Amino acid sequence: MAVQLAAPHTWPAAILPALVATAAAIAHAPSASLATACVLLAVCVLMQSAVNTFNDYYDYVKGADSADDNVDPADAVLVHNNVDPRAALGLAVGFLAAAFTLGGYVIWVAGWIPLAIGVVGAAAVVLYSAGKTPVSYLPIGELVSGLVMGGLIPLACYQALTGAFDLRALLWAVPTIVGVGLIMMTNNTCDVEKDVAAGRRTLPVLLGRGRARRLYRALVLAWPVAIAILVAACFAGGIVVLPFMLLAAWPLVAALLKNPLRPETRIGAMAQICSANVALGAFYAAAILASGAVAAA
C-alpha cells in the first residue's frame, strides 16, 4: 500500500525534470558528480511520493474521492483499500522528511541555494493538498505544479551539479514545465463534473470542458515545438535527435489530441500523458547530451 500511495506511475513528473537538468549540467560541466545526480534524483522521487500521498490522504478525508469515480484503484488507495488514513499521513510526512535528510548531502556539496529552493518546493507539496483551500482546488494548480516540479527541480539540480545558479535553467525547463502542468490538466479536464460537485474551482471548471480541451490541445502541440526551438537555439549539436523524437512521440501526441478528456477516458488519458512525458523528456535530455558530446569533440 505504501508503494501504491507513492504512485510510481507519476514519478516521471519528478524524474524527467531532474534528467534534463543533469543532461544540461553534463553538457556544460562534464565533471558533474554522478553521486550527487543520483541523490538529487532520489530527493525528487521522494518529494513526488509525498505529493501523491498527501493528495490521496486529503482527497479521502474531504470526501473528494469515491469508489464510483473513473480512476485506477492505485490512484485512490484509501478508497479501495483498508488503510488507516493516519498511517497514510504519517507516510507522506516520512517521504518529505527522507527527502530533506538526503538533501543534507546536497546542501553539504552545493551550499544553501538548493535548500532554499527545496523549502519552496516542500511548502508547495503541503499547500497543494492541505488547508481550507488547497492549490489543487484553484485555477492555478496546473501553473504551480508545472513551475515547482518542472521548473524548480531543474533549477536546483543544475545549481547543485555545476555550482552555478543559472536562470537559463528555467528557460531550458519550459518543456518540462509544460509537460508536468499537462499531467494535472489532463486529470482536471476529465474530472470537471466531479470537481464541480466537490467545490473545486480548477482551470477546466472555470473554462468549461470545451474551452479547456482547446487550450489543452494547443499546449500539447506547443510542447514538442518548444523542445525543437530550445534545442536549435541552445543545444544545436543535438538537432540530430529531433527527428527520432518526433517519430517516437507523435503517436502519443496524436492520441492526446484525439482524447475527449471525459470521465470514462480518464485512465487512458493519464496513461497517455505520462507516456508522452517520458518520450519527450527522454529525447530532450538525449538531445542536450548529444549537444555536449558534439561540443567536446
Side-chain angles (χ1 to χ4, degrees), residues 5-7 10-11 13-14 43-59 88 91-93 95-96 99 121-130 136 144-145 148-149 153 180 184:
L5 284 164
T10 69
W11 289 355
V43 169
C44 294
V45 167
L46 286 166
M47 293 282 277
Q48 179 67 40
S49 299
V51 170
N52 296 333
T53 309
F54 274 122
N55 196 49
D56 210 332
Y57 169 79
Y58 282 107
D59 279 352
L91 180 66
V93 173
F95 282 139
L96 208 54
V125 165
V126 176
L127 294 175
Y128 178 83
S129 302
S136 62
V144 171
S145 63
V148 171
M149 300 300 294
I153 285 177
V180 173
M184 187 172 186

Side-chain angles (χ1 to χ4, degrees), residues 2 4 11 38 42 87 94 136 147 151 165 184 200 221 237 241 243-244 266:
Q4 286 192 32
W11 289 355
C38 291
S136 62
L147 285 175
F165 183 70
M184 187 172 186
R200 285 176 163 171
L221 288 172
V241 174
F244 299 97
R266 181 189 183 279

Side-chain angles (χ1 to χ4, degrees), residues 161-180:
L161 290 168
T162 65
F165 183 70
D166 193 336
L167 290 177
R168 289 183 302 169
L170 286 177
L171 173 64
W172 303 331
V174 166
T176 55
I177 292 171
V178 173
V180 173

Side-chain angles (χ1 to χ4, degrees), residues 10-11 20 35 93 110 122 149 198 204 219 230 232 251-252 262 264 274 276 290:
T10 69
W11 289 355
V20 167
V93 173
M149 300 300 294
L219 289 170
L230 285 168
L252 299 169
R262 299 193 59 82
E264 61 272 18
C274 287

Side-chain angles (χ1 to χ4, degrees), residues 154-234:
L155 183 64
C157 290
Y158 186 82
Q159 192 279 332
L161 290 168
T162 65
F165 183 70
D166 193 336
L167 290 177
R168 289 183 302 169
L170 286 177
L171 173 64
W172 303 331
V174 166
T176 55
I177 292 171
V178 173
V180 173
L182 280 170
I183 294 175
M184 187 172 186
M185 193 171 185
T186 303
N187 180 75
N188 288 345
T189 307
C190 291
D191 284 351
V192 167
E193 293 83 5
K194 172 188 169 184
D195 288 344
V196 169
R200 285 176 163 171
R201 293 181 59 80
T202 64
L203 181 61
V205 166
L206 293 183
L207 292 176
R209 179 172 280 113
R211 284 185 292 180
R213 270 198 304 246
R214 288 193 289 272
L215 175 59
Y216 181 89
R217 288 165 180 165
L219 289 170
V220 168
L221 288 172
W223 187 10
V225 171
I227 292 175
I229 291 172
L230 285 168
V231 170
C234 305

Side-chain angles (χ1 to χ4, degrees), residues 3-141:
V3 173
Q4 286 192 32
L5 284 164
H9 61 283
T10 69
W11 289 355
I15 293 172
L16 293 166
L19 181 63
V20 167
T22 301
I26 292 172
H28 294 143
S31 60
S33 168
L34 179 60
T36 301
C38 291
V39 172
L40 287 166
L41 181 61
V43 169
C44 294
V45 167
L46 286 166
M47 293 282 277
Q48 179 67 40
S49 299
V51 170
N52 296 333
T53 309
F54 274 122
N55 196 49
D56 210 332
Y57 169 79
Y58 282 107
D59 279 352
Y60 178 79
V61 298
K62 291 178 180 181
D65 283 342
S66 75
D68 296 327
D69 294 331
N70 290 285
V71 299
D72 189 314
D75 284 333
V77 177
L78 299 184
V79 171
H80 294 278
N81 298 276
N82 185 26
V83 177
D84 184 350
R86 291 172 298 178
L89 181 60
L91 180 66
V93 173
F95 282 139
L96 208 54
F100 270 85
T101 300
L102 285 178
Y105 170 79
V106 178
I107 295 164
W108 177 62
V109 170
W112 63 270
I113 292 178
L115 172 63
I117 297 174
V119 168
V120 173
V125 165
V126 176
L127 294 175
Y128 178 83
S129 302
K132 186 176 180 180
T133 308
V135 169
S136 62
Y137 279 54
L138 300 174
I140 59 171

